[in-house]
Amino acid sequence: MRTCPPSHLLSAPTAAPLSDCPCPGADERPVVLTGDRPTGALHLGHYVGSLATRLALQDAGAHRLFVLIADTQALTDNMRDPARVSRCIEEVALDYLAVGLDPARSTLFVQSCVPELAELSMLMLNLVSVGRLERNPTIRAEIRLRGFERDVPAGFLVYPAAQAADIAAFRARFVPVGEDQLPMIEQTNELVSKLNAVCGSPVLVPCQALLSPIGRLPGVDGRGKMSKSQGNAIALAASPDDIRQAVQRMYTDPGHLRVSDPGQVEGNVVFSFLDAFDADKTELEALKAHYRRGGLGDMVLKRRLTERLIALCEPIRTRRLALERSPDYVREVLKAGCLAARAEAARTVSDVKRALGLPAY
Ligand code: TRP
């Protein structure tokens, strides 16, 4: 399992096509790429939406996995407070390592440390209209949420093209993401096919979203999806006490007043969480039937969920605490990841530039 050393790719005279790197045994496995914005610690919504898929793919070993900490993208709506973004980069890296992403098998890197991504974004931006960017449903929703209607930062509006560059630069085939990212994947594929058409050859490859089988996790208040900014999240490295408190305040069925009352399972936050985190599906179905009939109290369910979440989060928390004592190790991981990622992206960007007839002085 080898890739070409970065020295071949970053500083080699470009007379020899870089994609024909002569390194023997280059890793031919299909690429999976995904990432997160560093705006806070990761939470259970991230776990359900994409981290669990990444771990499964990493463990199966049939793909090359790249995971990016999207700091440049986070700045598109945090440019007034860049310190917040930079502080969170290592927080997210700690979460990645604590949850089980393994730098020996996966490449963890930081978006701003791979300037080739910005270069590819600039080229791609010529192939998308402002109108098309404005029609992206995720962007529309985010503009509303952030109150950007009157004055949207240009960098924010165009971040789908930058995200397309993130994905295309690694020739990623699969992108594990939550549902809200589907419009980004669609726009990526539009840009990939337009750029390939201009290049006259399939320099870039189309990608496919890998959606979580569970769908989106609600917030503990049952309002919308779990999100740190909504204050309805449970951190991946939550302590047992945090978990107990969060589960305690979770919504159930407001019509289920007495234990003997029949209860509703659909839209019941505790059941949504059990669906996501309780591996014993037979017992879970029996509990649902009992709840619907009446005679099963919320406390029984909440106790069960608390146990399941502590079993998931406690090892993550313990590993994270240990890693927090080794900041140098975390930095080394990111440094090596950025180097490897840069080599990969540089190869694609130089292929694109060559196909466009741009010089390589
Ligand atoms: N937009 C993603 C999010 O908000 C983060 C992201 C940036 C990303 N670049 C990506 C995800 C490339 C997948 C692929 O979580």
Side-chain angles (χ1 to χ4, degrees):
M1 208 187 50
R2 279 181 54 199
T3 49
C4 302
S7 55
H8 281 203
L9 304 165
L10 289 178
S11 55
T14 33
L18 295 180
S19 55
D20 296 338
C21 182
C23 292
D27 192 338
E28 301 285 344
R29 292 174 301 166
V31 171
V32 174
L33 176 132
T34 188
D36 302 277
R37 295 180 187 195
T39 50
L42 300 183
H43 53 63
L44 293 179
H46 294 111
Y47 186 84
V48 167
S50 135
L51 285 172
T53 313
R54 298 177 206 181
L55 293 171
L57 288 164
Q58 172 183 272
D59 292 342
H63 298 84
R64 296 170 71 200
L65 181 58
F66 288 88
V67 181
L68 103 164
I69 300 178
D71 58 345
T72 323
Q73 187 177 108
L75 286 175
T76 61
D77 61 341
N78 282 286
M79 201 60 176
R80 299 238 168 85
D81 189 8
R84 167 155 176 251
V85 172
S86 68
R87 250 195 331 268
C88 289
I89 293 173
E90 284 178 21
E91 293 295 314
V92 171
L94 281 168
D95 281 332
Y96 283 168
L97 295 170
V99 80
L101 288 173
D102 171 8
R105 291 179 286 164
S106 301
T107 305
L108 312 181
F109 69 101
V110 180
Q111 191 181 26
S112 67
C113 297
V114 182
E116 288 76 8
L117 299 177
E119 209 179 342
L120 186 56
S121 306
M122 282 310 279
L123 296 172
M124 283 184 153
L125 276 171
N126 300 315
L127 295 170
V128 61
S129 70
V130 172
R132 171 67 181 95
L133 288 161
E134 285 170 342
R135 280 194 298 277
N136 182 311
T138 300
I139 290 289
R140 287 168 75 106
E142 289 180 339
I143 285 178
R144 241 176 287 126
L145 202 70
R146 288 161 176 73
F148 278 164
E149 286 98 338
R150 288 170 47 102
D151 213 2
V152 55
F156 185 85
L157 185 66
V158 306
Y159 92 70
Q163 186 158 333
D166 297 339
I167 297 169
F170 293 87
R171 296 184 164 109
R173 302 243 171 217
F174 302 103
V175 188
V177 280
E179 272 171 28
D180 60 317
Q181 295 292 301
L182 286 177
M184 302 299 167
I185 304 298
E186 192 183 325
Q187 256 197 304
T188 298
N189 285 333
E190 282 173 26
L191 282 165
V192 161
S193 84
K194 283 186 179 173
L195 192 55
N196 281 345
V198 174
C199 288
S201 64
V203 189
L204 305 177
V205 300
C207 67
Q208 203 181 310
L210 291 181
L211 286 180
S212 141
I214 289 154
R216 88 171 24 170
L217 192 67
V220 295
D221 57 0
R223 273 191 236 130
K225 68 167 184 171
M226 181 174 282
S227 138
K228 195 178 150 98
S229 59
Q230 300 298 307
N232 64 9
I234 300 178
L236 208 51
S239 70
D241 268 351
D242 294 339
I243 292 173
R244 267 182 222 112
Q245 276 173 29
V247 175
Q248 206 43 51
R249 70 185 182 96
M250 248 178 217
Y251 284 33
T252 54
D253 170 9
H256 186 241
L257 296 175
R258 275 165 307 191
V259 173
S260 54
D261 290 341
Q264 225 187 325
V265 167
E266 287 68 32
N268 184 319
V269 179
V270 176
F271 275 112
S272 304
F273 273 71
L274 285 169
D275 277 334
F277 297 106
D278 196 327
D280 193 337
K281 298 301 170 206
T282 322
E283 238 180 77
L284 187 54
E285 286 314 309
L287 286 170
K288 286 183 183 173
H290 192 175
Y291 195 78
R292 286 193 180 103
R293 270 199 315 274
L296 181 60
D298 287 346
M299 277 322 294
V300 176
L301 296 173
K302 288 192 168 183
R303 229 173 289 129
R304 184 181 176 99
L305 176 60
T306 303
E307 268 169 34
R308 296 292 184 275
L309 293 182
I310 291 177
L312 173 72
C313 296
E314 193 53 13
I316 300 175
R317 191 175 75 94
T318 315
R319 275 197 299 271
R320 199 184 199 279
L321 285 172
L323 287 159
E324 280 168 16
R325 279 182 241 117
S326 315
D328 288 345
Y329 167 73
V330 179
R331 276 175 214 138
E332 283 309 314
V333 164
L334 292 179
K335 208 165 152 185
C338 290
L339 204 64
R342 237 191 129 174
E344 196 70 30
R347 189 144 53 123
T348 310
V349 173
S350 100
D351 286 350
V352 168
K353 287 168 78 175
R354 191 163 358 92
L356 293 175
L358 298 173
Y361 299 126

